Each structure stands twice: as structure tokens, then as C-alpha cells.
Amino acid sequence: MGGSLAGLLAAHVLAEHADQVTVVERDRFPEEPGPRPGVPQSRHLHVLLEGGQQALDSLLPGFMDELRAAGAPRVGMPSDMVQWQDGRWFRRLPATTHLSTGSRAQLEQLVRRRVLANPAITVVEATNVVGLSGDASRVRGVLLRERGEGTGQEERSLEADLVVDASGRGTKAAQWLSAVGAEAVYEESIDTGLAYASRVYRDTSGSLGTESLGYYVVPNPSQVYGGVVLPLEDGRYLATFSGLRGDEPPTDEEEFVAYAKRLPHPFVHRWLRTAEPQSPVFGFRQTANVRRRYDLPGRRPAGFLAIGDALCTFNPVYGQGMAVAAMSAVALRDALSDPRRTPTTRRVQQALLAASRQAWDISAGADKAMPGAIGNAVTTRAVERPVGWYLRRVQERYAGDPVVGQAFRSVLSLTAPVTALFAPNVARAVLFGPVPATPAEPPMAREETGI
Ligand SMILES: Cc1cc2nc3c(=O)[nH]c(=O)nc-3n(C[C@H](O)[C@H](O)[C@H](O)COP(=O)(O)OP(=O)(O)OC[C@H]3O[C@@H](n4cnc5c(N)ncnc54)[C@H](O)[C@@H]3O)c2cc1C
């Protein structure tokens, strides 16, 4: 259910195990890369973290080369970006991780082309899943309704041995499962009311493109505004602002530029005043962290799995959702081909949840501290407090200390576990090292060495 990133990549994996995989998608796929109604977030900045890049290459060999050949920029961190976080400017040290910053639409188009070339995978486009068939012990298929004019309202059913929910953050699976008699799934949520507004620009000042490839202001509890400018595949730039409930970034064109004045330094505002707008301003709300705990014991039917945003969706500021969709497809592949364990629905669902755990801990963990956060998962547990103390020391050091910075970026880019922050050389710097010096003003040039 759903033919976006998670659905396509799950179909790719399942085609190794099934005679026929059918992807049901409410939209018609565009011929050329472009926005479509079922993925409204595609108008906004979509960075692909290194964990996601590695997962995509593992699923679709050579994919990242293909994406790069299609123009997707590769932005080194911290070398290529002017970045402000937790009250400090990052030193422009040599890169230890890279973001792929092309448009979401292009990335999805290339994944779609690769996956749908497989004759074992069929797509049913312009068709809504409207329910499940089966009962509380086993899901046996889906109920479908075609969309568009001239189509009747009649439902048809499509039988399946396995149904995968990849219908995104708006999934209705909870209702569909209750309708077949299954137990309601427990949902954890943390919502800061964060909203996005984005607009495409052309850089007319020449400030970006050589010495700096992008700007990045990361929000925190005492400075809640986010601002990012990063390159797209066609040489243009996407500028995105974020703000919390009650102070959302505006979609009015004049006010959009003025919103940049809220950032802790005027450099993004200065750039926007000279840059040439290339699109309207698009807004987006509904950015809560939501995790559906299908892995917990309960009356769960066999033959039903959830993946991607339909399982776990994150505050987008941390840029994780696509990476997690790809990493979850790798987890699906590994769980299905593990010779030591029978891949029961429950085991596979647990593996899918495990693939999103680190991203959840980062996003939900940070959002708990944001002002106005609401939801049933906002409480900080007592066991988290000593870790919080350590992480605050990490925060004071990652912008200026190469060792701490590298570990921090590897965790955030989902290429290393959180324990990388506690490795002996990192812990030494965090516990005993001084707070390193960082630039007093936005550093507009790279540093040549890491020392
Ligand atoms: C504003 C914003 C910015 C983001 N930025 C980033 C970022 O920088 N980096 C990153 O990695 N992630 C980012 N994300 C997250 C990313 O968009 C998602 O995690 C990712 O798209 C998840 O893919 P998915 O396939 O699970 O769901 P989606 O991409 O949401 O796709 C769901 C699909 O299901 C289809 N569908 C829905 N209901 C039905 C139905 N009933 N029947 C049939 N089809 C249906 C939809 O049409 C759609 O094709 C961002 C998200 C938002 C909201």
C-alpha cells in the first residue's frame, strides 16, 4: 500500500521472495520528476543522509552514482556548509560525512525507474486502498477503489499472502485493522507543532557554489527557528525555514524573506534579499514524531507489516525519513533471508522497528526538550538524565573538536550507533577536554586541515 520510497523499496525486496508483488498507489506517477499530491512534502528540502545512501546502494547497486550523474549535489559536512547549532558556528573542518541534496522528486523517480523495471512487480496507479480483508488472525488482502472521473464507487478486493503498509504518515491502517477485529496499535507521539515553508531560488550573488555550498541553522530549545539553504540538481537552491506552533514560517512571499531575520545571524536574510525567487512559497504542517508499536504483544494478524512513515515518522528537521525507509528495506531483506530464524510477521516487524530506533531516539529525544512539545512520549525518564548530562558536554564540543564532531556526525547520519559517542577517544575529549574555540562569526571559508 503506497508506491513512494518505502513501498517501492519493500516491493523490490519482496520480489526476491514472491512470484508477484503489486504496488497500489493513489496517485498516477509523473513521467518526469515532479511533485505529486500523495507526497506533498516533496516541495521541501529532502537531504539523504549517508546511512540512507549506503542502504540504497546496497539495495540497488550503483544507485548513488546514478543519482550523482543525474546532478544531485554532494555536500560535505562540516567543510562545505556554514552551520550554526547550539549557539556555535561549526569549524569548516574537512568533511567526515556527505549529504545528498538533490530534489525529493528526482530521487523518487530514479528509485521508481529501477524498481519497476522488475517484471515481478506490478503497479496499480490512481487507486486508493480503502481497507483490509481477512480477520484478526490473518490479513488476506486489501480493498481497493479506483480514483478519478468516470470510475464507479465500487470496491474490489485484491488477495495477498502479505500486505505491507507503506502509505506514509497519514496511514489509516489503525482503522482498517480494527475493522477486521485486530487490536488497536499503541501510538507514541511527540509534536512540537513544527511547520515548514520552502521556496526555490537562484543564487545571483555568487556567494554559494564554490567556497560554501549551503547554509544551515539548526533549531534548539532556546533558539527555535531553523533555516537551510542547499543546492538542487539543476544549480538552483532550496531555502527552507522551520518554526514552532504559533510562530510558523509564512507562505506569503514578502513575509517569507523577513522571517529569516529571526535566525541568530543575518547571513541567510542577506543572501535571500539578493537571490532570485523561482517558485511560490510552499508550506507544510503535520510534522509530529509518531511511532506505531506493532512490535508489542497483542492480537495482531499475521500477514501484515508496516514500514517507512506508516510505521515511524519523524520531525523532518533531522532529515531522516528517507534514510530510514531505505534502511528498513535492508532490514526486511535481512530478516526474510536469515537462515537461522523463521520470518514470522512479528519477528520481521520487530526488525523493521529496530531499523528506525536510532532515528527515533535522536528526533524524539531532541523534541522532548522543545518548548510546547505535546504528546504521550514527551516525558523524560530518570535513566535518560545522566545521558543528557553527557550529551550536553558533547554539544559544547562538536562544533570545534574534530574527534567529537566526527563521532557526532556519524551518529546523526545513521552510519554509526549512538555508542560511537562513548568510544574511548571521544569520551576522553567529552569528559576531560576543554570546550574548544569556535568561530565568532559565520566562517565563510573552509579550513584546510583537521587540526
Ligand atoms: C516537510 C518534510 C521534510 C522532510 N525532509 C526530509 C529530509 O530532509 N530527509 C529525509 O530523509 N526525509 C525527509 N522527510 C521525510 C520523508 O518525506 C519521508 O520519511 C519519506 O517520504 C517516507 O516515505 P514513505 O514511502 O514511507 O511515505 P510517503 O513518501 O509519504 O509516501 C506514501 C505513499 O502512499 C500513497 N498512499 C497514501 N495513502 C494511500 C492509500 N490509501 N492507497 C494507496 N496509496 C496511498 C501516497 O500517495 C504516497 O505515494 C521530510 C518530511 C517532511 C514532511
Side-chain angles (χ1 to χ4, degrees):
M1 308 191 282
S4 178
L5 287 178
L8 289 167
L9 295 172
H12 172 74
V13 169
L14 293 174
E16 289 292 309
H17 300 268
D19 302 327
Q20 179 70 54
V21 181
T22 308
V23 176
V24 182
E25 168 54 49
R26 68 185 290 284
D27 285 347
R28 257 188 211 296
F29 291 129
E31 290 293 319
E32 297 297 321
R36 59 187 179 87
V39 188
Q41 74 268 33
S42 73
R43 303 267 191 194
H44 301 273
L45 190 73
H46 266 72
V47 298
L48 181 63
L49 301 178
E50 209 155 296
Q53 299 169 27
Q54 290 172 2
L56 274 169
D57 262 345
S58 151
L59 294 162
L60 307 169
F63 181 83
M64 287 312 299
D65 285 344
E66 211 181 308
L67 188 62
R68 226 160 129 56
R74 190 165 175 265
V75 176
M77 291 176 84
S79 55
D80 295 338
M81 268 200 317
V82 183
Q83 179 173 353
W84 184 97
Q85 187 161 1
D86 289 313
R88 294 180 171 79
W89 298 101
F90 271 72
R91 287 179 59 192
R92 304 271 307 269
L93 295 164
T96 60
T97 188
H98 290 83
L99 299 175
S100 178
T101 69
S103 70
R104 161 62 197 253
Q106 185 190 57
L107 175 80
E108 195 183 305
Q109 168 95 358
L110 291 180
V111 169
R112 191 158 64 231
R113 202 156 68 195
R114 282 285 291 270
V115 169
L116 297 186
N118 185 340
I121 303 175
T122 315
V123 222
V124 178
E125 288 175 79
T127 301
N128 265 325
V129 175
V130 292
L132 299 172
S133 58
D135 52 38
S137 62
R138 172 165 277 282
V139 167
R140 297 188 185 280
V142 290
L143 305 176
L144 307 180
R145 193 178 292 149
E146 219 174 302
R147 303 176 78 219
E149 284 182 26
T151 56
Q153 285 303 299
E154 64 284 359
E155 280 172 20
R156 68 185 173 95
S157 69
L158 177 67
E159 282 190 15
D161 295 321
L162 174 65
V163 171
V164 180
D165 182 14
S167 63
R169 60 169 63 224
T171 178
K172 299 206 171 53
Q175 289 105 289
W176 299 337
L177 283 164
S178 346
V180 296
E183 200 170 303
V185 62
Y186 176 63
E187 279 189 15
E188 294 168 282
S189 73
I190 301 179
D191 187 2
T192 64
L194 179 107
Y196 262 43
S198 301
R199 191 176 200 189
V200 179
Y201 283 89
R202 190 168 291 288
D203 176 34
T204 52
S205 60
S207 324
L208 288 172
T210 46
E211 198 53 52
S212 303
L213 304 185
Y215 302 143
Y216 189 19
V217 174
V218 186
N220 69 47
S222 51
Q223 192 297 112
V224 296
Y225 303 104
V228 197
V229 179
L230 280 171
L232 295 169
E233 57 271 13
D234 57 5
R236 299 185 301 170
Y237 290 83
L238 190 53
T240 291
F241 292 119
S242 66
L244 301 186
R245 189 182 298 107
D247 199 7
E248 294 88 354
T251 49
D252 173 272
E253 297 182 355
E254 295 296 315
E255 290 174 23
F256 179 81
V257 176
Y259 196 82
K261 290 190 198 155
R262 288 172 163 77
L263 299 177
H265 192 279
F267 75 123
V268 177
H269 184 243
R270 274 189 219 131
W271 182 82
L272 276 183
R273 282 205 343 239
T274 61
E276 199 177 279
Q278 303 277 305
S279 78
V281 183
F282 293 98
F284 196 93
R285 297 192 179 191
Q286 288 119 36
T287 58
N289 304 281
V290 179
R291 181 159 70 162
R292 299 179 176 91
R293 300 301 304 269
Y294 292 107
D295 58 306
L296 295 177
R299 214 171 56 251
R300 313 230 170 274
F304 175 88
L305 294 172
I307 194 168
D309 276 21
L311 175 63
C312 189
T313 175
F314 313 95
N315 175 342
V317 161
Y318 310 100
Q320 308 175 118
M322 299 191 299
V324 170
M327 292 163 75
S328 303
V330 171
L332 179 66
R333 181 188 69 189
D334 294 349
L336 293 180
S337 54
D338 184 346
R340 293 160 306 161
R341 283 160 176 258
T342 311
T344 59
T345 301
R346 176 116 192 274
R347 275 200 190 125
V348 178
Q349 189 63 78
Q350 282 172 337
L352 296 179
L353 195 92
S356 63
R357 187 161 295 132
Q358 178 159 329
W360 173 266
D361 289 345
I362 291 170
S363 174
D367 278 2
K368 279 179 190 182
M370 291 305 266
I374 52 173
N376 61 6
V378 287
T379 341
T380 303
R381 290 172 300 148
V383 294
E384 293 171 18
R385 291 205 186 104
V387 179
W389 175 85
Y390 184 86
L391 291 180
R392 275 190 295 282
R393 294 183 70 87
V394 171
Q395 263 171 17
E396 290 166 349
R397 288 160 178 80
Y398 52 51
D401 183 310
V403 172
V404 181
Q406 172 161 15
F408 173 73
R409 279 184 293 279
S410 66
V411 171
L412 254 68
S413 60
L414 306 177
T415 52
V418 176
T419 49
L421 292 174
F422 299 88
N425 60 337
V426 182
R428 206 173 304 121
V430 170
L431 295 173
F432 308 116
V435 173
T438 50
E441 283 294 309
M444 292 302 173
R446 295 184 182 93
E447 289 183 33
E448 292 309 323
T449 69
I451 309 303

